[in-house]
Amino acid sequence: IQSAMRVSAPYDLELAYSRGMMAFLLFNPAPQGIVVIGLGGGSLPKFMRHYMTGVHVTVVEINPQVVAVARNQFYLQDDDEYLQVVVGDGTEYVRTHKAVCDVLMADAFDSGGTAPELCSQDYYDACAATLVYSGIFVANLWGSDRNFDTYMQRIERAFDGRVLMMPTGKPGNIIVFGFSREPGDMRWKILRDRARALQLRYHIDFLEFVERLTG
């Protein structure tokens, strides 16, 4: 299951991995610009547009039919000054956009899994360059993928080893965070305090995320 929605709460994050991707808020609780590669049912942009006032979200999706389904069946909001859905190639987007966002989220899968062009060293290097100086890269990877270690090594190379990962299930999705620079105060008490505040605001289990983070 790549996308799911509860009809009674269409803007909430139903799947555990999608909630896990929001753990970037532990390191930057007030981003201004977010780029999402891959739309699916639109869970992440829907949540951010609905709950994160004033944040500019750009989504890049290669398949216009996916955009139509997200809007017709999953309640994805129309484009406005805070949400823009671009039909285009995510690899081309990151290659041609430098230092344009605080957070870059990569959640692009097809029926065969991760496309090779979305896990190459060139792609991860371009993702790093798309971020501002203090930016955060967030990738959704599949833990049982036989190439998982290779992907991790490429992300670590792109971000000079400034990488954390967080499993969201066994052997399921693993969320990987790459940092353009060291992410600041990483003491557990500080992270837990941030998690409590974020949990009250967004009703997502951020305290559990802190316990799952590994270097």
Side-chain angles (χ1 to χ4, degrees):
I1 298 175
Q2 295 183 1
S3 296
M5 180 187 76
R6 191 177 298 274
V7 175
S8 60
Y11 302 113
D12 291 355
L13 296 173
E14 187 67 19
L15 298 181
Y17 93 86
S18 62
R19 296 193 297 274
M21 293 189 77
M22 295 304 299
F24 74 81
L25 290 168
L26 290 166
F27 311 103
N28 181 355
Q32 296 301 304
I34 298 173
V35 172
V36 182
I37 305 298
L39 176 64
S43 300
L44 288 165
K46 282 195 307 178
F47 176 88
M48 293 185 287
R49 178 64 188 89
H50 187 75
Y51 289 109
M52 298 172 66
T53 304
V55 178
H56 294 266
V57 180
T58 300
V59 186
V60 185
E61 168 56 53
I62 197 168
N63 189 340
Q65 292 179 316
V66 170
V67 178
V69 169
R71 290 223 152 104
N72 294 336
Q73 304 296 324
F74 285 90
Y75 295 15
L76 177 66
Q77 303 95 323
D78 291 334
D79 282 6
D80 59 19
E81 62 177 311
Y82 296 110
L83 174 65
Q84 182 181 18
V85 178
V86 177
V87 176
D89 187 333
T91 59
E92 178 68 13
Y93 184 93
V94 297
R95 189 181 67 80
T96 56
H97 290 73
K98 306 301 182 186
V100 297
C101 59
D102 303 296
V103 179
L104 175 62
M105 309 180 81
D107 185 26
F109 290 85
D110 58 24
S111 58
T114 305
E117 61 271 20
L118 292 173
C119 50
S120 69
Q121 188 65 61
D122 286 345
Y123 169 71
Y124 290 130
D125 290 345
C127 286
T130 302
L131 295 165
V132 299
Y133 173 64
S134 58
I136 304 171
F137 173 64
V138 188
N140 173 33
L141 300 181
W142 188 247
S144 60
D145 190 320
R146 59 189 177 89
N147 294 313
F148 176 82
D149 289 341
T150 299
Y151 303 155
M152 280 296 301
Q153 290 168 9
R154 291 171 181 171
I155 296 172
E156 288 171 348
R157 192 174 298 121
F159 290 92
D160 294 327
R162 297 182 296 269
V163 172
L164 294 173
M165 65 178 182
M166 186 184 73
T168 62
K170 296 180 180 181
N173 303 82
I174 295 180
I175 310 305
V176 180
F177 304 91
F179 301 90
S180 295
R181 62 169 181 166
E182 293 298 333
D185 197 335
M186 292 280 288
R187 288 176 295 173
W188 290 115
K189 182 182 184 307
I190 299 296
L191 288 177
R192 289 189 182 101
D193 287 345
R194 292 178 193 165
R196 290 187 186 94
L198 289 167
Q199 201 155 304
L200 286 172
R201 180 173 180 180
Y202 294 112
H203 305 290
I204 292 176
D205 41 358
F206 285 96
L207 277 168
E208 180 180 341
F209 297 161
V210 171
E211 304 305 321
R212 289 175 176 262
L213 284 169
T214 60

